[in-house]
Amino acid sequence: MHLKDYLNLAIADALRQLNYDHSNTLVSISNRPDLSDYQSNVAMPLAKLAKKSPIKIADEIKEFLSKDPAFAKITVDGPGFINVTFSDSKLLEVNTSSKQFKKKVVLDYGGPNIAKEMHVGHLRSAIIGESLKRILRFSGNEVIGDVHFGDWGTPIGMLITQLKSENPNSFENNLENFDMTISEISALYKRANANFKSDDEFKESARVATFELQNGNALYRKLWKILRDKSVEAVKENYDKLGVSFDLWLGESDTNELLPKIVDNLLERKIAMHSNGAVIVPMDSQDSKQEKAPLILRKSDGAYTYAITDLATIVQRVENYNPDAILYVVDARQKEHFQQVFTVARRAGYVRDSTSLEHIAFGTVNGKDGKPFKTREGNVMNLKDLIKFSENKAREGLPEINEESEDQARKIAIGALKFQDLKNLRTSNYIFDTENFTKSEGKTGAYIQYAIARINSVLSKSSDQNFENAELKISHKIEREILLQLNRFSEFLEQACAAREPSIIGEYVYVLAQKFSIMYAELPINGENDRVVRVSRLKLCKITREILTRCLDLLGIEAPEKMLR
Ligand code: ARG
């Protein structure tokens, strides 16, 4: 049990014995770390109910807590705040083990699209999703990661139409030799998109093509398969570089068989209705004055929408996995889409009530100008180039190019990209820093990697045997601070799980690295003469390294063995 829960229980126990309401203990990490480790503000609301002075109630609680040797100091401050400092011996137990939750979770992240090269906008879903997968798994959950490939909408019809118009004579016969790189396909898509926007006839053809594809046109299917395979290959290459992986490579297209059945089912049950040739589900409006847009399942041209593929995917996931939760790591701009899809899924009973459907929304990556991040030339930077750019930046400080420094540059670059993202609350937008993000000073991935490399170096230089079995001691304030932070690992991990928020681990690990850096700068380790103190410090270094490394792993970041600079 972590410290916060320990204190929670102790206070709840005291309240019970004192005959107060013990449902909420109002414990939080102290906002005066110089005075205490934790605080509880429970006396104030209780005082109101009991018509007593909060200080009096706080004193009563203090009296109870004082009997427990786990607490070294308890004070009542201000209007009735209870400030609690744990005993050193409690901290020296170094409890980092976490609760195991054992839920089954389907995690939908990545979400790349056919024919589109991945760019910086695709980064966040992959980075946040990969980290959530690791965090949830480490906390004992079964997590099934699905890339949910965007491979079944109008864009395919657009591509087909564009290809046809560029190769009017040879389109059907030449499919066998169809050989385009992903960049060429991506350029083709851009031309198609321009035509789709400006040319009504093109638009109509693209619609028809989409409809025909979805309804079994064999030639289009063949072409679609080629485009899909190429895209998957390119996307996988990027994900491999980023250290992002998936258990399932399913996509929107895998729902195709189900789509007409869902439409029929929802029509039959009067959940959906026909409207101007389309099939829609009307949405209730909370505010009667404002009409809410309906959810469109099938358009009047017969083509199925993004929304119905998501509904069908829910049906499949429930059938295949019966999960406790389905999490969608998707851009915040799709909020309404998910609200509507979830509403319809519940109305139709496609999920059991206890299964939670959650949109894990995130903000955009912006440039210095506050607008979505672009290259200097004003283009969206594709992911491959962004990774290269980061590797070059990471290489800048390194002495020479060899195998080791290359490995280091790669790990620093990926760590930099990921940490820059994961240190922010996922819902906030962040400004992509192209200057300092790979440096080992500041709030960066490399700062934490550097702390690990230092520990590696300290431990490898030690001539003390078996310091793992040594007794830990606290002989300096900073050692206590490190121990306190180590003891808080599972507390933060639980929070990160509950809030689906990797940045909680990002913040935690940064603070731990900072505290280690202070110890490293201020205290001798191998140079300490007192053997007992020295081996205790070595042991503390080793435990710190374990947790630093664990946290980076939870963020999807590897640490190089050494950091040359
Ligand atoms: N491919 C989609 C897009 O680029 C994201 C998919 C997200 N997942 C989902 N189940 N809708 O917008």
Side-chain angles (χ1 to χ4, degrees), residues 474-486:
I474 297 178
S475 52
H476 191 281
K477 183 168 149 285
I478 190 66
E479 292 170 327
R480 186 183 190 283
E481 285 182 28
I482 292 175
L483 280 163
L484 179 60
Q485 185 70 358
L486 289 171

Side-chain angles (χ1 to χ4, degrees), residues 489-509:
F489 171 66
S490 58
E491 179 183 334
F492 281 82
L493 181 67
E494 264 172 43
Q495 274 181 32
C497 273
R500 314 333 195 171
E501 186 57 85
S503 70
I504 291 176
I505 299 294
E507 181 64 28
Y508 169 85
V509 71

Side-chain angles (χ1 to χ4, degrees), residues 266 269 271 281-284 342-351:
L266 293 178
R269 296 164 62 200
I271 295 172
V281 179
M283 291 284 123
D284 300 331
F342 296 169
T343 304
V344 176
R346 294 230 179 266
R347 221 184 268 169
Y350 290 161
V351 278

Side-chain angles (χ1 to χ4, degrees), residues 108 111-113 148 150 252 306 310 317 328 330 334 337-338:
D108 178 318
N113 297 309
H148 200 72
E252 294 168 4
Y306 179 48
D310 258 330
R317 287 172 176 166
Y328 298 79
V330 184
Q334 293 193 27
H337 164 77
F338 285 110

Side-chain angles (χ1 to χ4, degrees), residues 124 419-426 428 430 501 503:
R124 295 208 77 183
F419 198 78
Q420 165 153 234
D421 189 309
L422 296 175
K423 71 181 179 183
N424 306 290
L425 279 181
R426 60 177 162 75
S428 58
Y430 76 91
E501 186 57 85
S503 70

